[in-house]
Amino acid sequence: MLLRVIGWLLTIEAAFMLLPLITGLISGENQTLEFLISVGITAAAGGGMMSLRPKSREMGKREAILLTGLTWVILSLFGMLPFLLCGTHMTITDAFFETMSGFTTTGASVLNSLTGVPRSILLWRCIIQWIGGLGIILFTLAVVPMLNYQGGMQLFNAEVTGITHDKLRPRVSYTAKGLWLVYISLTALLIVLLCFSEMNFFDAVCYGLSTMSTGGFSTSDMSIGEWNSLYVKIVVIIFMFLGGVNFTLIYRCVTGAGFKVWHNTVFKCYLAIIAICYLLLCLNLFSRGLVHNVSDITIDPLFQAMSIISSTGLTEPDFSDWGPLAVIILVVMMFTGACAGSTSGGAKIDRLVVLFKFLKNEFYKMMHPNAVTTVCINGKGTSYMVVQKVLAFLFLYVIVIMIGGTLLTMLGLPLVDSFFCALSAISNTGLGTDITGLSGNFALVPDGAKWILAFIMLIGRLELYTILLLFTHSFWRK
């Protein structure tokens, strides 16, 4: 049953591969045959799996968790074929790292330069980010209705980020369609707005896909700075902000329940964190004498704050000149992330709100031991079970960073670089290590470290438990 569903997904992936193939044909690239071979291999494998006839179509929680983990790995293995075959001169390690970085919307790259890279490959990088932004499984739930009856809710919970998962409709497939409708509409609007700038249509599509997915892959070595356009920066800032908002909240706002946005505790905290980080960056720039015009004190720090907290990872200014305080703010925002149910990475503001309210209650109970307290979110009490899950998640999140950083150090990376890379990978931010001493991308990282980072990216995107459960004995025991 699991292989049959993965076959559906591989067929869909092959269909998406046709878009860069067509782009390559229009651009007259020499790698179109290799891309066609990638499409053929993926479609053939998908068709073979779809032809399977399972004896049982039942899917419980354990099967849903296994399917989610397998899906992201298998689609990355087939998604790396264009990188291997189409003239990028990547090894298997580099190709898998680049693909996993794309699907998890991390945006870390092993390409030393994008100059000379075929347009078909540049588009494929952005497409896989866009697919992974809202979720591969969530897309399948929207287009394969049979999963609504076969573990659909378990699949939904295994992939969608957050503490609790609000359904828009009773059936999971309707919820998936609603969320994807919002996602596609925002992406289309962003592409249209970027077309009114100095960007050509190809660049507008690529940046539209990578920005809305908060992935951050670019088509130029200078990233968004290639255009030096105030209009482009403002548009990208707005949509990075929207990419960090819970898509369920956006859906309800569009459908007439906009008043709920202003009563949402997490959304208000999201706005407050952005404002505080922006003001701190402004003060930092002013104190270091780096303010030369109005844009330096308004747009640039806001762009950087939105890019990091939404885990997009686009860097327009030379951030390394902003000093140690800016790096500390960056690390805090990478850890925090934006709202649950969005395309952003990080631990999520929802969990931190629960954590701080829980700590506030604990301090209160030190003075009033008989008091009965509860963690209130949006005016409603949160069950103690949810609070326990949040505390366990945050503790495990830190453990993964510590273990990942330690393993990277053992493989030869400098200590600071190791832990920075581990945090960047698990938060799906994908910032290079130029701040901490390397060349700005992951090309110099040892192969063993790339596999570890790819694994950490996957853990971060699927929020720890979905992947780590597969390595427990109790998961496989009936």
Side-chain angles (χ1 to χ4, degrees):
M1 179 61 194
L2 302 188
L3 291 176
R4 180 174 166 80
V5 175
I6 292 172
W8 275 96
L9 286 162
L10 286 176
T11 306
I12 294 170
E13 184 178 27
F16 274 108
M17 283 184 182
L18 294 175
L19 297 175
L21 173 62
I22 295 170
T23 302
L25 289 170
I26 295 173
S27 303
E29 295 173 356
N30 297 324
Q31 294 84 10
T32 52
L33 178 60
E34 289 82 354
F35 224 110
L36 184 61
I37 292 172
S38 302
V39 175
I41 293 173
T42 306
M49 292 182 185
M50 285 173 60
S51 65
L52 297 173
R53 292 292 180 265
K55 294 180 179 178
S56 173
R57 293 179 178 271
E58 294 182 4
M59 188 182 297
K61 181 179 291 185
R62 184 161 50 179
E63 288 79 14
I65 291 172
L66 180 59
L67 173 62
T68 304
L70 284 175
T71 294
W72 284 76
V73 173
I74 292 175
L75 261 68
S76 294
L77 288 172
F78 282 90
M80 74 180 187
L81 291 176
F83 295 111
L84 288 173
L85 301 176
C86 296
T88 57
H89 307 293
M90 287 187 183
T91 62
I92 291 177
T93 297
D94 287 345
F96 183 79
F97 180 91
E98 192 84 9
T99 311
M100 183 59 76
S101 175
F103 273 121
T104 58
T105 71
T106 304
S109 180
V110 294
L111 293 171
N112 288 312
S113 174
L114 298 178
T115 304
V117 176
R119 279 193 162 195
S120 54
I121 292 296
L122 294 177
L123 180 59
W124 178 238
R125 293 166 82 232
C126 296
I127 286 174
I128 59 178
Q129 281 198 330
W130 188 77
I131 297 170
L134 205 56
I136 299 170
I137 296 294
L138 192 64
F139 181 80
T140 313
L141 290 171
V143 299
V144 185
M146 70 175 183
L147 290 180
N148 190 61
Y149 308 99
Q150 298 162 2
M153 194 61 203
Q154 287 86 348
L155 289 168
F156 183 75
N157 290 330
E159 185 182 64
V160 177
T161 62
I163 306 171
T164 57
H165 305 109
D166 297 328
K167 292 201 297 180
L168 302 176
R169 301 281 185 85
R171 288 189 178 181
V172 179
S173 60
Y174 290 150
T175 298
K177 288 174 183 176
L179 295 176
W180 269 95
L181 178 62
V182 172
Y183 190 49
I184 293 171
S185 301
L186 288 174
T187 305
L189 178 59
L190 174 56
I191 292 172
V192 171
L193 292 175
L194 290 177
C195 285
F196 285 102
S197 69
E198 295 85 350
M199 287 187 182
N200 57 39
F201 180 71
F202 175 78
D203 288 323
V205 170
C206 288
Y207 278 99
L209 297 175
S210 65
T211 300
M212 201 62 245
S213 64
T214 63
F217 273 152
S218 302
T219 60
S220 167
D221 292 332
M222 295 179 65
S223 187
I224 209 75
E226 173 77 15
W227 289 270
N228 193 27
S229 168
L230 187 63
Y231 172 81
V232 170
K233 291 179 187 176
I234 293 173
V235 170
V236 171
I237 287 171
I238 293 171
F239 281 86
M240 285 192 296
F241 171 79
L242 293 174
V245 177
N246 190 324
F247 276 73
T248 302
L249 205 62
I250 297 176
Y251 180 89
R252 287 175 175 162
C253 182
V254 172
T255 54
F259 65 92
K260 291 186 178 180
V261 174
W262 306 113
H263 294 88
N264 187 277
T265 304
V266 176
F267 182 75
K268 288 189 287 186
C269 289
Y270 180 45
L271 292 175
I273 292 171
I274 293 170
I276 292 170
C277 291
Y278 166 69
L279 290 174
L280 289 174
L281 288 174
C282 288
L283 290 173
N284 178 67
L285 289 171
F286 188 79
S287 65
R288 295 180 65 84
L290 296 175
V291 179
H292 306 293
N293 52 55
V294 177
S295 177
D296 290 341
I297 200 69
T298 54
I299 299 302
D300 287 353
L302 182 59
F303 181 93
Q304 200 64 68
M306 280 310 316
S307 176
I308 303 306
I309 198 168
S310 66
S311 78
T312 307
L314 290 172
T315 52
E316 188 273 327
D318 189 359
F319 198 85
S320 59
D321 292 338
W322 288 20
L325 177 60
V327 176
I328 293 171
I329 297 170
L330 173 143
V331 170
V332 171
M333 288 191 294
M334 283 171 60
F335 183 89
T336 302
C339 305
S342 66
T343 58
S344 67
K348 301 294 186 300
I349 295 172
D350 307 55
R351 293 190 176 92
L352 295 177
V353 169
V354 172
L355 172 64
F356 284 111
K357 290 201 172 194
F358 171 77
L359 292 176
K360 178 185 175 182
N361 289 344
E362 290 301 302
F363 276 106
Y364 181 79
K365 288 168 71 174
M366 290 292 291
M367 298 300 297
H368 307 85
N370 295 324
V372 178
T373 60
T374 185
V375 173
C376 288
I377 305 291
N378 301 328
K380 299 179 181 179
T382 303
S383 69
Y384 189 67
M385 184 182 296
V386 171
V387 176
Q388 282 183 315
K389 287 182 178 179
V390 167
L391 297 178
F393 178 92
L394 293 173
F395 185 66
L396 187 57
Y397 198 83
V398 174
I399 288 177
V400 172
I401 295 173
M402 298 301 293
I403 293 176
T406 303
L407 291 174
L408 294 175
T409 304
M410 293 171 63
L411 289 171
L413 268 70
L415 183 66
V416 177
D417 288 351
S418 298
F419 286 93
F420 185 88
C421 287
L423 175 59
S424 178
I426 197 171
S427 66
N428 300 133
T429 306
L431 286 181
T433 51
D434 52 332
I435 295 173
T436 50
L438 290 179
S439 64
N441 60 51
F442 291 78
L444 298 180
V445 174
D447 284 354
K450 290 173 185 172
W451 286 102
I452 291 173
L453 286 171
F455 181 64
I456 295 175
M457 291 176 200
L458 182 60
I459 292 175
R461 174 59 184 84
L462 297 180
E463 302 225 306
L464 310 186
Y465 293 113
T466 302
I467 296 299
L468 295 181
L469 267 174
L470 302 179
F471 296 91
T472 61
H473 177 67
S474 59
F475 178 82
W476 298 98
R477 187 177 58 199
K478 290 186 178 180

